[in-house]
Amino acid sequence: MKKLFLLFATVAAMSMSAQAQEIKTGVLEVGDYTNATEFYNGSYFDMAPTNFYVDHFASQMMYLYDTDFAEFAGKQNVKITKIYYKFNDQAVYSDINADVNYCLQLVDANEFQIDADGDKVYFDFGEPAVTGEFYYEAFSAYGEDVEVVIDLTDAPFAVTPGKNLVVTAIFDLTSDCMASSDDAAFYTSGIRNRVMTYSDNYDSFLDYVNSSTYPKCSPTYSGGSTNSDLPVTRIEYTYTEGGTTELRGDVNMSNDVTIADVTALIDYLLSNDASNINLVNANCNQDQEVTIADVTALIDYLLSGAW
């Protein structure tokens, strides 16, 4: 027992900042967020990330790493801090008050799956990354652009190179929905087939998730739609420069290589959840796989100071 304590004390003492890099910030737009002029021109029930004409609504939106996030290439430790969507308020009298849940996840797929019945299906998702309330006074904002913000500043979402991002936005109104004569149209990017929406006056999306018809998405199932445009999106993020200064062993993307990276790597191997680690940095022995051998290599590095 004493020897084990001394080993970890030694590892902790030798934890060091390895090739520490300056953290920088960036902004990217999916579509022309700054100068957006196009609204969704189909049914308002198809609108993403939401619509305000029914009591319960949700959208799953897919962003592709190689196209939407192309500027992440060459940047290390990319973490999303905020995501913005924008609509133009033409509501005459209604205020909007809704409970909101946002779930973010990384996936390998670059399109929505189609099941044996020919229906598109939603991605399963875990715990919300952000929960809160969305409120604005529609009358006071009449004729103006209003932003819906996912604020991840307190727990930035790490992006793994090559992985695609799915954002699930779930809104449940806490007061009456807007009158059908009102209008709050989201600006769109013109990018098709990477959004699916849900709307219902009676059951929330989370209720639908627990139903026997989930994960199907089509007009047959509780107001589902598979034809929405990807909304224009503004994404704020932090990163470290790429190139020759990689942070090998910085599994948890803290810009240090410490005993905490050993813990993060073991957690990943037990859970297979890579949402909060950098798999490139986790390949400590550089054999192109992340296995228990990388834990051994990382501990050896912390003890010796050399790879």
Side-chain angles (χ1 to χ4, degrees), residues 2-301:
K2 183 177 180 181
K3 289 183 179 179
L4 182 64
F5 172 79
L6 289 175
L7 170 63
F8 278 94
T10 303
V11 172
M14 295 190 66
S15 297
M16 62 194 69
S17 176
Q19 300 170 325
Q21 298 171 310
E22 179 185 357
I23 298 177
K24 299 186 177 182
T25 60
V27 176
L28 68 80
E29 296 181 358
V30 178
D32 190 350
Y33 187 91
T34 303
N35 302 302
T37 58
E38 295 296 324
F39 299 117
Y40 185 74
N41 59 9
S43 167
Y44 49 72
F45 289 107
D46 298 337
M47 197 179 295
T50 186
N51 70 73
F52 300 110
Y53 300 93
V54 291
D55 290 334
H56 307 284
F57 30 81
S59 295
Q60 279 199 342
M61 298 165 280
M62 178 184 286
Y63 298 90
L64 302 185
Y65 187 87
D66 289 340
T67 55
D68 305 318
F69 297 157
E71 70 177 66
F72 288 169
K75 295 182 173 72
Q76 296 290 326
N77 307 321
V78 175
K79 296 181 181 181
I80 295 174
T81 55
K82 288 185 179 180
I83 302 176
Y84 298 80
Y85 302 105
K86 179 169 62 174
F87 65 85
N88 187 267
D89 173 38
Q90 296 294 325
V92 178
Y93 54 86
S94 296
D95 288 353
I96 296 176
N97 195 2
D99 291 327
V100 186
N101 293 277
Y102 295 106
C103 301
L104 283 73
Q105 64 194 113
L106 297 176
V107 298
D108 291 317
N110 58 11
E111 59 186 13
F112 288 97
Q113 180 182 344
I114 298 177
D115 68 10
D117 297 324
D119 293 306
K120 286 187 178 180
V121 297
Y122 291 105
F123 287 93
D124 289 329
F125 54 89
E127 292 296 316
V130 175
T131 62
E133 184 178 83
F134 175 73
Y135 174 80
Y136 86 101
E137 296 179 349
F139 181 79
S140 64
Y142 180 78
E144 298 179 359
D145 289 339
V146 180
E147 289 185 320
V148 177
V149 184
I150 306 175
D151 191 342
L152 301 164
T153 306
D154 291 337
F157 186 82
V159 177
T160 299
K163 294 282 188 177
N164 300 317
L165 173 68
V166 173
V167 178
T168 305
I170 305 168
F171 284 69
D172 294 298
L173 286 176
T174 58
S175 56
D176 292 337
C177 60
M178 294 175 64
S180 60
S181 60
D182 293 342
D183 186 17
F186 277 82
Y187 290 98
T188 63
S189 64
I191 299 173
R192 304 288 286 172
N193 301 318
R194 284 202 265 124
V195 177
M196 298 201 301
T197 65
Y198 167 92
S199 57
D200 194 280
N201 265 322
Y202 305 102
D203 296 321
S204 73
F205 182 69
L206 294 178
D207 289 335
Y208 181 60
V209 167
N210 293 316
S211 74
S212 60
T213 53
Y214 182 81
K216 294 178 182 287
C217 178
S218 80
T220 307
Y221 305 104
S222 297
S225 171
T226 62
N227 299 316
S228 304
D229 285 6
L230 195 66
V232 294
T233 312
R234 173 187 170 95
I235 296 176
E236 296 180 4
Y237 63 95
T238 61
Y239 67 98
T240 52
E241 290 288 337
T244 59
T245 54
E246 297 177 351
L247 288 175
R248 180 179 173 185
D250 181 22
V251 180
N252 64 2
M253 298 172 290
S254 67
N255 295 313
D256 291 326
V257 178
T258 70
I259 191 64
D261 295 296
V262 176
T263 302
L265 182 50
I266 292 173
D267 286 345
Y268 164 70
L269 291 172
L270 291 173
S271 68
N272 201 36
D273 179 6
S275 59
N276 293 310
I277 71 167
N278 186 311
L279 288 174
V280 175
N281 294 344
N283 182 211
C284 298
N285 65 2
Q286 297 189 326
D287 65 353
Q288 309 311 312
E289 294 182 319
V290 178
T291 67
I292 192 65
D294 295 296
V295 176
T296 302
L298 181 53
I299 292 175
D300 287 345
Y301 169 76

